[in-house]
Amino acid sequence: MNLEYPEDLKYLDSHEYVRLDGEIATIGISAFALDQLGDIVFVELPDISEALEKGSTFGTIESVKAVEDLYAPISGTIVERNNEVIEAPELIGDDPYGEGWLLKVRVNDPDELEEAMSANEYRAQVEGE
């Protein structure tokens, strides 16, 4: 399978990604993680206006193989939640970097992303290069 890692994203060891647009961060899960998990059957996400702390869990994603915690890649306040993926979790697998995003967060400190990996660093880690 040819996995994509868009260059405009930052990635975490726990396989979440962040797309920072001004002070809003879109958070989702990488194609690599989805490849490992298989078909997504359920996702649990927090409510709008809840605060996220970098490194803390913010929900779960369940596949036919496993249930995995989701970890916040950055601290901030949830401004939008993708209710479509709650209703139709397969959207995450179909388009993880587009329609399959999970949360949008108003970021407290964008410098928190300095520890996150670039697309090339993440690819090298997950593909064992």
Side-chain angles (χ1 to χ4, degrees):
M1 179 176 177
N2 185 17
L3 301 178
E4 291 181 27
Y5 311 106
E7 297 288 333
D8 64 327
L9 306 179
K10 291 288 197 175
Y11 300 86
L12 273 76
D13 287 342
S14 52
H15 309 296
E16 290 79 14
Y17 71 76
V18 180
R19 177 180 288 118
L20 196 57
D21 184 15
E23 60 182 26
I24 302 298
T26 301
I27 299 171
I29 181 169
S30 76
F32 175 82
L34 291 164
D35 185 51
Q36 299 298 301
L37 283 167
D39 293 335
I40 304 301
V41 294
F42 181 76
V43 63
E44 180 183 27
L45 298 173
D47 293 324
I48 291 174
S49 80
E50 279 192 36
L52 290 186
E53 283 296 319
K54 179 182 176 184
S56 65
T57 59
F58 68 83
T60 56
I61 190 163
E62 186 174 334
S63 74
V64 290
K65 296 181 187 175
V67 177
E68 296 289 335
D69 286 330
L70 296 165
Y71 293 92
I74 196 162
S75 302
T77 305
I78 299 167
V79 293
E80 201 174 336
R81 173 175 92 166
N82 190 348
N83 289 318
E84 287 183 26
V85 299
I86 294 172
E87 300 295 321
E90 63 275 5
L91 278 175
I92 300 169
D94 293 344
D95 188 11
Y97 304 115
E99 297 294 313
W101 61 274
L102 302 176
L103 296 175
K104 294 195 179 190
V105 174
R106 185 173 309 282
V107 174
N108 294 346
D109 179 7
D111 289 344
E112 285 184 344
L113 281 179
E114 285 180 7
E115 297 165 20
M117 290 177 271
S118 69
N120 286 337
E121 291 166 331
Y122 182 72
R123 179 183 297 109
Q125 176 173 312
V126 298
E127 294 180 1
E129 292 173 3

